[in-house]
Amino acid sequence: MDAVQNLIQGFAFSANVDCYLMAAFGVFLGIVIGALPGLTATTGVSIFLPLTFYMDTIPAFAFLLGIYCGGTYGGSITAILINTPGTPSAAATAIEGYPLSKKGQALKALEMALYASFLGGIISCICLIFISPIMASFAMKFGPAEYFALGLFGISIVASLAAGNMVKGLISACFGLTLAMIGLDPINGATRLTFGTASMQSGIATIPALIALFAVGEILVQGENVYKPVELEQQQIRGEHIKWKEFVCHWKIMIESSLIGCFIGAVPGTGGGIASFLSYNTAQKQSRHKEEFGKGTLEGIAASEAGNNGVTGATLIPLLTLGIPGDAVTAVLMGALMIQGLTPGPLLFETDGNTIYGIFALLIVCNVFMLMLGRLGLPLFSRVTDIPSSSLQPIVLALCCIGTYASSTRRYELVVMLVVGAVAFVMRKLSMPSAPALLALILGGTIESNLRRGLVAKRGSLIAMFSGRPIAIAILVITVVMLVYSAVSEVKGKKVTD
């Protein structure tokens, strides 16, 4: 009951024209970005994050959450029309959407994707609203030992699940930890890894690093193929509208897939791609018409889209309650919280309760705008693939430079963005994920400061630091188990492949 009352207050706190306009604009940009192959919601949030630097907290998050929700849904448009998922989480949607489009039922497939995305997003919001306060109250008991263990868990689980290659994921995390060490020591103020450069004493800022890792690196990779001819068979939006009966008969699988998405999203380091395929596979196993899967079925689209959008709200649960991002997008949103002077963690619910529940309310608003804009703007959004990459990439790169410079008005940040972007390009060529690097950069300070605080309090004894702290020990055990399990699974997978 308290959660409902707080949510009502959140709606009242965020109910102004500026917030709703920013939410609508963010959803619009997100759908366009998500529909463009190669650009994801993470890229979109990274590019436009600097624009929120001088905004108030609530309008800023209305804008960013709009991009997040719109970008997650937008990938389904090109997945259905041209068999090219705009985002990785829409890959399962293409399996059923494109065959339906070839049959002349593109409109029906697009509408099912939209409605399933909306339902998944709303259910995810409900889970966020009721679960977050419980986790926050539990986390209030945490001390340096628990936060140190959580930091390791946040990095290790993302690294272990990174693209099926744990070693590359851990290397990426080590790169992020190295970046986190640059600058002044948080305890005694000594300079580290500055190479005698005064500008580097301030360390590596989050904004240029995340823009470089998720936007600049991707732009450089796509730039290699920008002038190569690509033939895409554009499918027209035609056919009948989806009937109410066709939507209602899939309500059970959509709710089940949304809950799967919520569970996956609440586990740090997973994301919409895993939720989408897991929901799709579950729907296929339970379906009475298994033979239709792969040939074009609304049931498969409903499952995959409800699953990947069910992640959007759930990924905020570990971010807001524990300070651990649920996926790459929330890692960027963590940077947005810090820009606004908010420290993610259980204290947020005590010190900035109105802001938190205002964010919850705006996430619901963003899903409503996604439904409205998606319903009215399908013909427009389906044409985004007509934009030539040779024109798009320079514009995106210019936005990255403008956003980075605007965040601090220092040329040093531009140099950081370009250097880290070059490293991100090499990482992508080597199939190394960027998410562990960003998480390590963000969490590195938390890990170090809490470890050293705990050791100082216990006179340098690591055993004494964890003595009588069962929660911290349990988190460390789970971290080790996850790493060992991932390593064993990877070795077995390679043996099977060989």
Side-chain angles (χ1 to χ4, degrees):
M1 192 65 182
D2 290 341
V4 176
Q5 293 176 348
N6 290 331
L7 180 63
I8 293 174
Q9 293 178 358
F11 272 109
F13 186 68
S14 61
N16 61 72
V17 176
D18 290 343
C19 288
Y20 288 172
L21 286 177
M22 294 307 298
F25 183 48
V27 170
F28 175 82
L29 283 178
I31 295 176
V32 172
I33 291 169
L36 287 169
L39 297 181
T40 64
T42 307
T43 308
V45 175
S46 301
I47 293 172
F48 291 102
L49 172 61
L51 299 183
T52 67
F53 193 77
Y54 300 104
M55 292 184 187
D56 292 333
T57 302
I58 296 299
F61 271 86
F63 180 55
L64 296 177
L65 290 174
I67 296 176
Y68 185 17
C69 294
T72 304
Y73 154 69
S76 66
I77 297 174
T78 42
I80 292 170
L81 293 177
I82 59 176
N83 201 28
T84 305
T87 60
S89 60
T93 304
I95 299 174
E96 304 298 336
Y98 188 63
L100 277 173
S101 183
K102 296 284 285 184
K103 294 177 182 178
Q105 301 180 42
L107 180 58
K108 188 176 291 187
L110 288 167
E111 289 180 343
M112 174 57 82
L114 175 62
Y115 300 149
S117 297
F118 170 73
L119 183 61
I122 292 297
I123 291 177
S124 188
C125 290
I126 294 172
C127 291
L128 170 66
I129 292 165
F130 286 97
I131 295 176
S132 293
I134 298 174
M135 288 192 64
S137 61
F138 174 73
M140 289 292 290
K141 303 175 183 178
F142 285 9
E146 285 78 15
Y147 280 113
F148 167 72
L150 274 176
L152 287 182
F153 175 76
I155 295 175
S156 64
I157 191 170
V158 174
S160 65
L161 294 172
N165 194 320
M166 187 180 68
V167 175
K168 291 182 178 180
L170 290 174
I171 292 174
S172 176
C174 289
F175 171 64
L177 287 174
T178 302
L179 293 179
M181 293 173 62
I182 295 175
L184 299 178
D185 186 289
I187 303 298
N188 56 32
T191 57
R192 303 184 302 193
L193 302 177
T194 60
F195 303 99
T197 304
S199 297
M200 294 185 68
Q201 291 183 5
S202 59
I204 302 298
T206 303
I207 290 178
L210 70 86
I211 290 176
L213 289 168
F214 289 104
V216 176
E218 185 63 34
I219 291 169
L220 294 176
V221 170
Q222 293 188 24
E224 293 182 315
N225 303 317
V226 72
Y227 290 110
K228 291 182 180 180
V230 179
E231 295 183 2
L232 295 174
E233 183 182 353
Q234 178 82 37
Q235 297 293 321
Q236 299 297 320
I237 300 181
R238 59 180 186 271
E240 299 179 350
H241 290 278
I242 189 171
K243 298 177 182 178
W244 175 250
K245 182 179 179 181
E246 291 175 310
F247 174 76
V248 171
C249 70
H250 299 308
W251 68 270
K252 183 178 179 181
I253 192 62
M254 283 190 286
I255 293 177
E256 183 177 308
S257 298
S258 299
L259 294 176
I260 290 175
C262 291
F263 175 77
I264 295 296
V267 177
T270 50
I274 297 174
S276 178
F277 276 101
L278 181 58
S279 300
Y280 177 81
N281 290 335
T282 302
Q284 185 177 20
K285 291 178 180 178
Q286 296 180 354
S287 176
R288 298 178 181 178
H289 309 285
K290 296 182 177 64
E291 69 282 354
E292 295 181 5
F293 277 75
K295 301 176 183 178
T297 173
L298 292 175
E299 190 174 2
I301 296 176
S304 61
E305 285 301 305
N308 63 36
N309 283 270
V311 168
T312 53
T315 53
L316 295 175
I317 295 175
L319 171 65
L320 297 176
T321 60
L322 303 175
I324 303 295
D327 62 359
V329 182
T330 46
V332 181
L333 291 176
M334 185 174 184
L337 283 170
M338 293 179 174
I339 289 173
Q340 297 293 334
L342 301 174
T343 303
L347 287 177
L348 268 179
F349 289 81
E350 297 290 332
T351 59
D352 296 279
N354 286 337
T355 300
I356 294 302
Y357 281 96
I359 291 173
F360 292 172
L362 285 172
L363 190 60
I364 296 175
V365 171
C366 287
N367 278 280
V368 173
F369 277 127
M370 180 186 73
L371 177 65
M372 296 168 57
L373 292 176
R375 187 67 184 85
L376 297 174
L378 273 179
L380 172 64
F381 296 132
S382 66
R383 306 304 302 178
V384 297
T385 54
D386 295 342
I387 302 174
S389 297
S390 56
S391 301
L392 180 66
Q393 300 305 330
I395 295 174
V396 175
L397 183 58
L399 287 173
C400 292
C401 294
I402 293 171
T404 298
Y405 185 75
S407 66
S408 65
T409 65
R410 293 197 307 164
R411 287 178 292 177
Y412 165 70
E413 307 294 3
L414 285 174
V415 175
V416 170
M417 184 199 74
L418 294 175
V419 172
V420 177
V423 176
F425 169 73
V426 175
M427 290 171 62
R428 275 172 164 75
K429 298 298 290 184
L430 297 175
S431 300
M432 287 187 182
S434 299
L438 178 61
L439 287 176
L441 172 61
I442 293 175
L443 297 175
T446 300
I447 293 172
E448 180 185 11
S449 60
N450 281 288
L451 174 62
R452 295 176 67 176
R453 281 171 52 205
L455 290 176
V456 168
K458 300 299 181 181
R459 298 183 179 182
S461 174
L462 191 63
I463 295 177
M465 176 179 169
F466 287 94
S467 178
R469 314 295 297 191
I471 296 176
I473 295 173
I475 295 172
L476 288 177
V477 170
I478 293 173
T479 301
V480 173
V481 171
M482 287 295 299
L483 288 173
V484 172
Y485 175 78
S486 298
V488 172
S489 299
E490 187 172 328
V491 171
K492 288 184 178 179
K494 288 183 178 180
K495 288 183 178 179
V496 172
T497 303
D498 296 338

